[in-house]
Amino acid sequence: MSQQFQHDVLVIGSGAAGLSLALTLPSHLRIAVLSKGDLANGSTFWAQGGVAAVLDDTDTVQSHVEDTLNAGGGLCNEDAVRFTVEHSREAIQWLIDQGVPFTRDEHAGSDDGGFEFHLTREGGHSHRRIIHAADATGAAIFKTLLDQARQRPNIQLLEQRVAVDLITEKRLGLPGERCLGAYVLNRTSGEVDTYGARFTILASGGAAFYYLYTSISDGACGDGIAMAWRSGCRVANLEFNQFHPTCLYHPQAKSFLITEALRGEGAHLKLPNGERFMQRFDPRAELAPRDIVARAIDHEMKRLGIDCVYLDISHKPEAFIKTHFPTVYERCLTFNIDITKGPIPVVPAAHYTCGGVMVDQHGRTDVPGLYAIGETSFTGLH
């Protein structure tokens, strides 16, 4: 039989956005965090490269803002970009305080203002500003936040729960527009339960699952965005999807991302004949923003009628590769690809939904009591 539950806060989504929110809310609130599958099934766990922030004393907020606006083709909301970049260092410090094991810099103090963590560089950035945990940053962040959430008695983590639709006063025939919770399918019992809440937060990720090549898990199908729209929220920029330039191309590899940090550390993109081609498209070559690199790869694949291009870091020392990219090394090895000795076949893959549910800087949607955060939301940052 279906059941009814009541919480102060209902968080739909158990990735970095949902868990971070749950951990920063007051401890007297009763919070339910829903995951449509296992807790680790979302996109956060699979993220590799790292998080961009102004962490080096030689870097500046203005530089990061300018890089972001340039990478966004002048379409970003500058207020949202500046707000995010100005708070980036404190956000990273919060993750460090939670215990995220970011990779430390063995040369700290020599030329980086004494910052103790290793910073790498990714496309579109003019500085090394990517803090990371080797090449499994998402897993490190997720595991840390999940461990913290499990220690909080006010946070209930619920797996195999699929939000079906939002409950609003209007839909119940009541005066007003407020969101009152959600109808949720319990995949174990097969029943649709009612979850009432004073505040409902959509943290359900994006919609990149629908593409042939995607780096995203099966759950990222845009259902949170659709629920918000059906409830009367505005959505925006859903035509903008970021493509990651380098996803492993192999018949047995369903969706494995090859972190951008490889290119940040000197990997070259090559055609089947071994020729580099990015310098023909942008003076930054492999370190151009993702949209430029992805379009260049797509252009060369269509021009030559080839299935993929190749990413090669084998000219770097073997020990360096294994230390910096252990996840990529081990995963590729399962497909008989030794990245210390040869190139990796790659294709662009749908990666991030830039649009979403329109919100203000506090995550508020058009419907009272309903918030959207993370990839589900549209702030103008992306």
Side-chain angles (χ1 to χ4, degrees):
M1 291 194 46
S2 61
Q3 302 182 68
Q4 294 189 2
F5 303 93
Q6 185 67 39
H7 294 83
D8 295 308
V9 181
L10 175 64
V11 182
I12 300 173
S14 61
L19 291 177
S20 295
L21 174 69
L23 289 169
T24 53
L25 289 173
S27 60
H28 68 271
L29 296 176
R30 294 182 63 250
I31 303 167
V33 178
L34 308 184
S35 175
K36 65 167 55 175
D38 296 336
L39 287 167
N41 276 4
S43 300
T44 297
F45 185 86
W46 302 103
Q48 294 178 8
V51 187
V54 180
L55 301 169
D56 187 343
D57 288 346
T58 65
D59 197 3
T60 66
V61 167
Q62 186 59 32
S63 174
H64 195 172
V65 168
E66 290 174 359
D67 287 347
T68 306
L69 294 176
N70 288 335
L75 299 175
C76 304
N77 179 329
E78 186 170 351
D79 289 341
V81 172
R82 189 169 296 279
F83 177 85
T84 304
V85 173
E86 286 177 345
H87 292 84
S88 61
R89 186 163 193 146
E90 64 189 76
I92 295 299
Q93 187 59 55
W94 183 81
L95 290 172
I96 293 171
D97 293 342
Q98 303 308 304
V100 176
F102 291 116
T103 298
R104 295 183 180 272
D105 188 350
E106 59 186 21
H107 304 297
S110 58
D111 58 359
D112 58 3
F115 187 68
E116 60 183 307
F117 296 97
H118 182 265
L119 301 177
T120 190
R121 187 178 173 189
E122 292 188 357
H125 291 283
S126 57
H127 286 75
R128 283 181 173 264
R129 58 169 69 107
I130 313 299
I131 189 169
H132 61 101
D135 62 346
T137 309
I141 290 175
F142 175 79
K143 289 175 183 177
T144 301
L145 297 181
L146 182 61
D147 287 345
Q148 290 287 346
R150 282 174 168 159
Q151 296 174 38
R152 305 289 180 90
N154 67 313
I155 298 176
Q156 187 177 16
L157 301 169
L158 299 167
E159 297 181 304
Q160 307 299 329
R161 303 300 202 281
V162 180
V164 177
D165 220 346
L166 297 172
I167 305 169
T168 63
E169 291 175 327
K170 184 177 182 179
R171 288 185 172 180
L172 294 178
L174 301 172
E177 304 282 342
R178 189 173 184 85
C179 181
L180 304 174
Y183 297 113
V184 177
L185 170 66
N186 183 328
R187 296 174 69 180
T188 303
S189 69
E191 300 288 345
V192 176
D193 299 324
T194 301
Y195 281 77
R198 293 166 54 201
F199 303 98
T200 302
I201 291 86
L202 294 169
S204 50
F209 164 67
Y210 294 107
Y211 290 84
L212 174 61
Y213 297 117
T214 176
S215 67
I216 301 303
S217 64
D218 293 354
C221 55
D223 44 2
I225 299 171
M227 284 189 288
W229 182 78
R230 291 196 299 268
S231 297
C233 295
R234 289 171 297 164
V235 298
N237 281 24
L238 292 178
E239 71 274 26
F240 286 127
N241 289 277
Q242 183 195 76
F243 278 70
H244 196 290
T246 54
C247 187
L248 177 62
Y249 179 74
H250 191 280
Q252 274 80 52
K254 184 171 180 241
S255 58
F256 183 71
L257 198 67
I258 305 298
T259 173
E260 191 168 350
L262 262 85
R263 285 180 283 127
E265 295 296 340
H268 298 152
L269 281 165
K270 297 180 178 180
L271 299 176
N273 64 1
E275 174 193 350
R276 292 179 65 186
F277 59 90
M278 274 309 305
Q279 66 275 9
R280 291 194 273 110
F281 294 88
D282 193 280
R284 292 165 290 186
E286 282 85 1
L287 288 177
R290 288 179 179 177
D291 61 316
I292 294 173
V293 180
R295 279 198 296 265
I297 294 172
D298 182 67
H299 173 85
E300 291 299 294
M301 287 170 58
K302 289 173 178 173
R303 180 178 71 88
L304 297 171
I306 55 179
D307 293 326
C308 64
V309 297
Y310 296 87
L311 184 66
D312 192 357
I313 198 171
S314 62
H315 53 279
K316 292 285 186 177
E318 181 175 337
F320 173 87
I321 296 171
K322 290 181 178 179
T323 300
H324 284 75
F325 307 109
T327 305
V328 173
Y329 173 76
E330 292 294 339
R331 180 66 169 161
C332 286
L333 215 53
T334 64
F335 300 113
N336 296 316
I337 301 169
D338 186 344
I339 69 173
T340 67
K341 293 181 170 59
I344 310 165
V346 294
V347 291
H351 186 58
Y352 191 91
T353 303
C354 298
V357 184
M358 292 186 69
V359 296
D360 62 14
Q361 283 190 350
H362 302 285
R364 291 179 294 204
T365 71
D366 295 325
V367 174
L370 179 65
Y371 295 74
I373 58 176
E375 195 174 352
T376 310
S377 68
F378 169 69
T379 64
L381 171 65
H382 300 96

